[in-house]
Amino acid sequence: MKAIIKKLLAHYWLVYPVLILKMFIYYWQTKRLDMLSIYDVPLLSLLFLFCVFEVFSFKESKPRRYGFYVVYTLITLIMLADAAYSSYFGKYISVNQLYQVTSLGQIAGDGNVIGASVSPGCLLTLIDYPFVLYWYCLRNKGKKGMLDELAKHWPAKLSFKSLWKEKKFTASFIKSVFHIIIYIVTICAWYYYGLNPQNLRSVQQVNHIEFFTYHTNDVVVNVVGKLKRSSVDEKAIQKKMKAIVPKSSGTAYKGVAKGKNLILIQTESFNNFVVGATYNGQEITPNLNKLLKNDTIYFNHFYSTTGVGNTADAEFSALNGLYPNDIRECYRMYVDNTYNGLPWMFRENGYSALAFHGYVKTFWNRSEAYKNQGFQHYYSEEELKKTQISGFGITDKEMFRQAVDILKTKKQPFFSFMITLTNHIPYELDQSLASLKLKSSDEGSTFGNYLQTVRYTDEAFGKLIEYLKENDMYDNTVIAIYGDHQGMNKETPSVRWKMTDFLGKEYDYDEMLNVPFIIHVPGLNESKVVDTVGGEVDIMPTIANLMDLDTKQPYVFGHDLLNADEGFIAQISYVGEGSFITSDDNMLFTIGKDGTVESGRLISLLDGSRKNLNKKLCQKYSDRAQSLIDTCKEVLDNNLIANYITH
């Protein structure tokens, strides 16, 4: 057997089937096998990969050899990054994520986070690496360039007839011509698909799923493209917004909470399916369930509208009524912009504006971003007492207790923004804090751990109300709670199977993106369930209506859900730009991974079933969703809010 293996390894041509295997593994791990076809992806990817191997084998030399090592290592690492990123977000990584290294490094400081969110299968993209390097050395050893071979075998007298007689020369000539044609075709394909000079939709479709051209286009658009900035027509933008931003009419609930304190709580990784649900005979969220029965408005078709910043983008969207984007987290990309979100609006009405979080202040650049967001003070892990730690930082119960102790010393009314932490992936909770009795089959699993930390966070909500009542603040304080993004990711097979079993139906994006939004107003004297589709972008205008606050600038992309004429939101992360959710026929549309409506999916919000695709209607809504994202980006890129606000 050893002799056979040794003999096989002596043939460098084995590199070609191994490179084919590499691409197969890559597309399998990035969840794109189902969309491969001879027309689109495999031939282009393999062509580029083969050419990389051959170009550096053109002639033996140290610069070529080390050049190949560097280039092939870079290709392999990018493929690994794509596979790892796709296992959680379902898409390729972008050069923009280089800007997130600091924040991602803080998250990844705990190796359990990586294990819980990244599929170990992505490591298979490394399997070919030592073999390819070995075969490259074998292929390159003693190899002379094509011109050297041609010169060596060049006949004394060159004629058409001599081509048939001089076999070595003819073989070298044909091989040289063949290589040159392949190189030219590769360069042309790279230019056509990577740069897309005519901006063709069919080319964009290929770039959504093809490795080499995607990353070329990504660098061109997000690095070179950012160096160019054109002037912007504000009137044209405002006109476009009137056509695409959902509208609200009426005055229902206007000012019902005017003058009260507001505690707005962004709840980490909180899916809506846990609200009102039972597990193993136990309520998962008994405190929230109780809250829903009295003086509470509950939005049950509310969805996460995050960008690549995930948690940070969720709060950016909620505080400002703006969409994030798929380029970079807004707290870094637009840190110096001018805003007129909830903190500023409350301050202009005599409120104090404070933020609380149980982790380090530099996480997601909050310490810098909060200055322009309008917060007067940010209480982070550095200022709070580390009396009880679980997972990343201070437990939710302790954060709430210390926050109330601080708030009772402040001038009222106040606006307090709080971010919970205990329910952060990998959902590890000290056993002394666990109260949910798990089935033996769920102990130690991501699903079981998630339910356990959700239960703890729900208990923290109950404690918060107790703390407010003990300090005579409850009756005059509105509590608004929303989830930032999903806790259970359908891209993880084990999670998807477990969730499908728990829900009794397929766990799809309709459940995954659905997060709760709950507004508790003591003295409201009613409880209401709002079915209108909404997202975090709608929180600011909805709160403004309840508290009778007035926005002084035209650039708000959300709308008041209590008086909504329609429900419509654009989607970004996990499902891709061009996806949308609408109250019309209660449907969620996910754009195809190739960026086309034709390969997208339509899901019912009512029962999770697949719906027949009306291409014309979906294209119309998809264009509107894309326009919302693009227009909001124009507003942020050009800091247009500053033209209307002076703080």
Side-chain angles (χ1 to χ4, degrees):
M1 179 62 73
K2 288 183 179 179
I4 295 174
I5 294 174
K6 189 175 181 180
K7 192 173 182 180
L8 281 172
L9 289 176
H11 296 283
Y12 76 82
W13 51 262
L14 280 172
V15 72
Y16 298 109
V18 168
L19 291 178
I20 292 173
L21 176 64
K22 179 184 184 72
M23 296 311 301
F24 176 85
I25 291 173
Y26 172 73
Y27 286 113
W28 168 40
Q29 288 299 316
T30 54
K31 307 179 188 343
R32 282 164 172 77
L33 272 182
D34 59 333
M35 59 183 65
L36 297 186
S37 72
I38 290 178
Y39 172 73
D40 319 279
V41 181
L43 291 183
L44 268 181
S45 296
L46 290 172
L47 179 65
F48 291 136
L49 211 51
F50 289 169
C51 280
V52 167
F53 187 81
E54 287 296 334
V55 165
F56 284 96
S57 301
F58 185 79
K59 185 178 182 180
E60 183 182 26
S61 69
K62 280 189 177 180
R64 287 182 184 277
R65 184 164 67 251
Y66 291 122
F68 177 78
Y69 295 159
V70 170
V71 170
Y72 197 75
T73 299
L74 182 62
I75 289 171
T76 300
L77 291 177
I78 293 174
M79 285 187 171
L80 173 63
D82 277 344
Y85 199 71
S86 290
S87 69
Y88 191 78
F89 290 99
K91 57 186 175 183
Y92 292 150
I93 199 165
S94 167
V95 68
N96 292 300
Q97 270 68 72
L98 291 174
Y99 299 112
Q100 293 181 283
V101 169
T102 303
S103 298
L104 294 176
Q106 289 174 314
I107 295 174
D110 184 345
N112 293 331
V113 173
I114 298 176
S117 58
V118 176
S119 169
C122 65
L123 294 174
L124 290 172
T125 55
L126 302 174
I127 200 169
D128 67 294
Y129 187 70
F131 298 101
V132 172
L133 294 190
Y134 169 76
W135 281 317
Y136 172 76
C137 291
L138 198 65
R139 171 81 167 94
N140 200 40
K141 190 174 182 180
K143 182 173 176 60
K144 295 182 178 181
M146 288 184 296
L147 296 180
D148 294 327
E149 288 187 24
L150 279 173
K152 180 180 178 181
H153 302 298
W154 198 276
K157 186 177 181 182
L158 182 62
S159 65
F160 182 76
K161 290 183 179 180
S162 67
L163 292 178
W164 300 102
K165 294 178 181 179
E166 302 290 341
K167 294 183 178 179
K168 289 185 177 180
F169 170 76
T170 302
S172 298
F173 181 78
I174 292 174
K175 187 164 59 173
S176 298
V177 171
F178 177 75
H179 276 83
I180 290 171
I181 291 173
I182 291 296
Y183 297 156
I184 292 174
V185 169
T186 302
I187 292 171
C188 290
W190 202 331
Y191 173 79
Y192 181 75
Y193 286 99
L195 302 182
N196 192 11
Q198 294 177 297
N199 199 29
L200 298 176
R201 195 176 204 127
S202 59
V203 172
Q204 293 174 351
Q205 177 181 346
V206 173
N207 280 336
H208 274 84
I209 48 182
E210 201 278 319
F211 173 75
F212 286 94
T213 57
Y214 166 81
H215 286 290
T216 299
N217 186 261
D218 179 53
V219 170
V220 169
V221 171
N222 294 309
V223 178
V224 179
K226 285 180 181 178
L227 300 178
K228 304 175 182 178
R229 175 171 289 189
S230 57
S231 59
V232 63
D233 186 341
E234 285 193 64
K235 290 184 178 179
I237 287 179
Q238 291 173 21
K239 182 179 179 180
K240 185 187 295 184
M241 286 183 64
K242 288 181 181 179
I244 61 177
V245 174
K247 297 176 177 60
S248 296
S249 58
T251 58
Y253 296 94
K254 184 174 179 61
V256 297
K258 185 175 182 178
K260 290 181 180 286
N261 303 316
L262 173 67
I263 296 178
L264 178 63
I265 305 172
Q266 177 167 291
T267 312
E268 176 66 44
S269 305
F270 216 81
N271 276 105
N272 191 53
F273 68 79
V274 298
V275 179
T278 59
Y279 167 83
N280 202 19
Q282 308 157 89
E283 285 184 287
I284 301 173
T285 58
N287 290 287
L288 284 183
N289 298 345
K290 182 180 178 181
L291 201 66
L292 293 180
K293 297 176 182 177
N294 299 289
D295 301 331
T296 299
I297 303 170
Y298 172 42
F299 302 85
N300 64 341
H301 280 165
F302 190 81
Y303 299 87
S304 171
T305 53
T306 62
V308 294
N310 241 19
T311 296
D313 281 350
E315 62 184 80
F316 175 85
S317 190
L319 294 172
N320 297 289
L322 298 167
Y323 278 103
N325 56 58
D326 206 15
I327 297 175
R328 188 182 176 191
E329 70 273 29
C330 293
Y331 276 171
R332 280 196 174 89
M333 191 171 183
Y334 304 115
V335 64
D336 295 321
N337 277 26
T338 298
Y339 299 95
N340 192 49
L342 287 175
W344 288 113
M345 292 162 66
F346 275 107
R347 285 177 63 178
E348 289 169 1
N349 281 269
Y351 282 64
S352 56
L354 310 170
F356 296 84
H357 187 37
Y359 194 36
V360 294
K361 64 182 179 181
T362 57
F363 191 46
W364 289 125
N365 202 37
R366 287 189 176 103
S367 57
E368 292 301 315
Y370 279 177
K371 296 173 184 177
N372 279 7
Q373 290 297 321
F375 288 110
Q376 293 162 298
H377 199 94
Y378 171 34
Y379 294 90
S380 60
E381 184 184 80
E382 289 84 352
E383 288 190 56
L384 300 174
K385 296 177 182 178
K386 300 178 183 179
T387 49
Q388 191 177 66
I389 302 294
S390 181
F392 277 93
I394 300 170
T395 61
D396 296 342
K397 290 180 183 178
E398 271 301 288
M399 189 268 288
F400 285 151
R401 183 186 66 79
Q402 293 184 51
V404 172
D405 284 344
I406 292 170
L407 290 173
K408 70 182 181 182
T409 66
K410 300 296 181 181
K411 177 185 176 182
Q412 297 189 34
F414 60 74
F415 165 53
S416 174
F417 180 57
M418 302 181 186
I419 309 164
T420 69
L421 184 63
T422 308
N423 193 43
H424 197 294
I425 195 170
Y427 315 123
E428 292 181 342
L429 188 67
D430 190 284
Q431 279 301 110
S432 63
L433 303 177
S435 62
L436 198 65
K437 187 176 180 180
L438 298 177
K439 299 175 183 177
S440 58
S441 60
D442 291 330
E443 290 181 359
S445 69
T446 300
F447 173 74
N449 291 345
Y450 176 71
L451 294 186
Q452 196 70 267
T453 52
V454 164
R455 177 65 172 275
Y456 176 84
T457 297
D458 177 78
E459 291 173 357
F461 291 142
K463 284 293 184 182
L464 172 62
I465 292 175
E466 285 183 23
Y467 299 146
L468 291 172
K469 288 181 176 179
E470 289 170 1
N471 290 279
D472 297 323
M473 298 164 66
Y474 170 75
D475 290 332
N476 196 42
T477 301
V478 175
I479 303 173
I481 301 168
Y482 70 95
D484 59 355
H485 55 76
Q486 87 290 339
M488 293 284 94
N489 195 323
K490 76 175 289 292
E491 297 291 347
T492 307
S494 59
V495 167
R496 185 169 63 250
W497 299 332
K498 198 69 182 178
M499 283 302 305
T500 297
D501 181 60
F502 176 72
L503 296 172
K505 64 175 184 177
E506 181 183 359
Y507 183 57
D508 213 330
Y509 289 114
D510 60 312
E511 290 285 358
M512 175 180 148
L513 298 173
N514 190 198
V515 295
F517 180 32
I518 299 166
I519 304 177
H520 178 64
V521 186
L524 185 64
N525 297 320
E526 71 167 301
S527 288
K528 180 183 180 68
V529 176
V530 178
D531 295 322
T532 304
V533 163
E536 285 144 355
V537 71
D538 300 310
I539 289 177
M540 186 263 260
T542 303
I543 292 291
N545 175 61
L546 283 168
M547 310 295 289
D548 199 19
L549 305 175
D550 182 33
T551 59
K552 296 180 179 179
Q553 48 93 2
Y555 299 113
V556 178
F557 285 77
H559 66 317
D560 171 22
L561 295 177
L562 292 169
N563 294 283
D565 297 335
E566 64 169 325
F568 184 90
I569 55 170
Q571 282 291 301
I572 307 171
S573 283
Y574 307 101
V575 290
E577 292 185 12
S579 301
F580 62 84
I581 308 177
T582 176
S583 292
D584 290 355
D585 296 325
N586 290 297
M587 58 185 181
L588 180 154
F589 173 78
T590 62
I591 198 81
K593 287 187 177 181
D594 60 357
T596 65
V597 167
E598 290 77 11
S599 59
R601 294 189 307 143
L602 203 57
I603 305 170
S604 170
L605 300 178
L606 302 179
D607 58 13
S609 62
R610 304 284 177 84
K611 304 183 73 173
N612 293 328
L613 200 66
N614 183 328
K615 293 180 183 178
K616 187 175 180 180
L617 181 62
C618 286
Q619 187 68 64
K620 175 185 174 183
Y621 281 144
S622 180
D623 290 343
R624 179 185 181 186
Q626 186 66 62
S627 186
L628 282 167
I629 303 301
D630 292 342
T631 306
C632 191
K633 186 175 181 300
E634 278 190 277
V635 170
L636 291 168
D637 282 347
N638 294 278
N639 194 19
L640 297 185
I641 297 173
N643 297 339
Y644 292 84
I645 303 300
T646 303
H647 292 302

